């Protein structure tokens, strides 16, 4: 955990703001009176999110339709800086849950999954890190996943992409620490969202509003790593202790 908490931010960039978790986090920043730039691919969903942020109390909301898997991502940060003046907090929350069977059968599907879940995020982190380092402060938060902590048969392409992202964030955190920039790795467990609607669900799923509250708190506290909810931390630690010879025979489908 960073030794100092961040003040209430005045400017926030949310990439992937139409995801259920990101929208819930953005509403809490809006209630703080922040000015926000929010991006997403779906015009109608983005308009709905922007309206909800204005209703929640945002000082200003600038929606931008962007597909971050295209060259359009190259100017996302620059345009946000132009619109806001500077960025206090950036939340990168875009991603997809790929079809593991499709990735097993087609390398192109695997490459697409890595592009959206890891490469596109890293590409945005380059200008974000430069901007915040030049200002001597700020908070970068990225949604990864507990799935990145060990490869499971049902979602190991997704997990591998998130693991790569967490490793990148660890190095970035070390690099930016002396610059006063916090890098927060948000690792949610299962959350009830449209992306997980096909899952059976269970007591271990939490709703997006609760996830948003926990993520918002982790960002404000400038946590290094935040499991959402917290108890996924010890669960993951135990899972990682299981010997590989046993793990591969359990056929875990979590």
């Amino acid at each position: 955990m960073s030794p100092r908490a961040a003040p209430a931010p005045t400017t926030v960039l949310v990439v992937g703001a139409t995801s259920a978790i990101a929208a819930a986090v953005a509403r809490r920043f809006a209630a703080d009176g922040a000015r926000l730039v929010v991006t997403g691919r779906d015009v109608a969903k983005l308009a709905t999110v922007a309206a909800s942020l204005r209703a929640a109390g945002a000082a200003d909301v600038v929606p931008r339709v962007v597909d971050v898997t295209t060259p359009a991502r190259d100017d996302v940060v620059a345009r946000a800086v132009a619109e806001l003046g500077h960025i206090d907090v950036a939340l990168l929350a875009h991603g997809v849950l790929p079809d593991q069977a499709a990735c097993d059968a087609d390398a192109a599907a695997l490459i697409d999954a890595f592009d959206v879940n890891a490469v596109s995020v890293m590409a945005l982190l380059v200008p974000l890190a430069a901007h915040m380092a030049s200002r001597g402060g700020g908070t970068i938060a990225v949604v990864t996943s507990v799935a990145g902590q060990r490869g499971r048969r049902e979602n190991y392409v997704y997990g591998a992409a998130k693991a790569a992202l967490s490793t990148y964030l660890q190095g970035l955190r070390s690099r930016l620490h002396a610059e006063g920039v916090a890098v927060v790795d948000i690792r949610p467990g299962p959350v009830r969202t449209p992306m997980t609607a096909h899952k059976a669900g269970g007591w271990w799923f939490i709703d997006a509003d609760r996830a948003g509250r926990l993520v918002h708190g982790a960002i404000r506290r400038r946590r290094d790593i935040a499991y959402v909810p917290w108890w996924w931390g010890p669960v993951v630690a135990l899972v990682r202790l299981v010997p590989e010879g046993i793990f591969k025979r359990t056929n875990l489908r979590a």
Side-chain angles (χ1 to χ4, degrees), residues 53-93:
L53 299 180
R54 295 184 184 103
D60 188 25
V61 181
V62 180
R64 289 196 56 225
V65 178
V66 179
D67 182 345
V68 294
T69 65
T70 71
R73 71 186 174 207
D74 293 345
D75 70 345
V76 167
V77 174
R79 290 190 62 177
V81 171
E83 288 154 345
L84 297 172
H86 66 273
I87 301 171
D88 291 321
V89 170
L91 171 62
L92 306 186

Side-chain angles (χ1 to χ4, degrees), residues 34-197:
R35 298 165 54 224
L36 297 101
V37 170
V38 292
T39 81
R41 292 186 299 174
D42 188 299
V43 176
K45 287 182 180 179
L46 190 61
T48 298
V49 169
S52 73
L53 299 180
R54 295 184 184 103
D60 188 25
V61 181
V62 180
R64 289 196 56 225
V65 178
V66 179
D67 182 345
V68 294
T69 65
T70 71
R73 71 186 174 207
D74 293 345
D75 70 345
V76 167
V77 174
R79 290 190 62 177
V81 171
E83 288 154 345
L84 297 172
H86 66 273
I87 301 171
D88 291 321
V89 170
L91 171 62
L92 306 186
H94 62 281
V96 296
L97 187 61
D99 183 322
Q100 181 62 52
C103 292
D104 291 341
D106 183 2
L110 183 151
I111 292 168
D112 286 345
F114 259 78
D115 188 24
V116 66
N117 287 312
V119 176
S120 69
V121 184
M122 295 176 191
L124 289 169
L125 288 169
V126 172
L128 269 174
H131 170 68
M132 291 192 178
S134 71
R135 295 188 63 243
T139 302
I140 299 170
V142 180
V143 177
T144 62
S145 174
V146 296
Q149 302 307 296
R150 193 149 192 186
R152 299 171 179 84
R153 60 175 291 183
E154 186 173 81
N155 65 353
Y156 60 87
V157 167
Y158 177 76
K162 294 298 188 179
L165 189 52
S166 285
T167 300
Y168 185 94
L169 293 174
Q170 186 176 39
L172 186 66
R173 183 182 306 117
S174 296
R175 173 189 148 203
L176 295 180
H177 175 71
E179 308 294 340
V181 179
V183 177
V184 185
D185 185 345
I186 305 293
R187 299 177 180 176
V191 178
R192 296 184 190 93
T193 69
M195 190 172 79
T196 60

Side-chain angles (χ1 to χ4, degrees), residues 1 5-6 25 28-29 184 186 210-223 226:
M1 181 184 296
V25 178
R28 291 187 172 269
F29 281 122
V184 185
I186 305 293
R210 181 183 176 195
R213 174 175 59 82
L214 296 173
V215 172
H216 176 262
I219 294 172
R220 290 293 304 276
R221 292 192 298 275
R222 294 163 60 90
R223 296 285 302 274

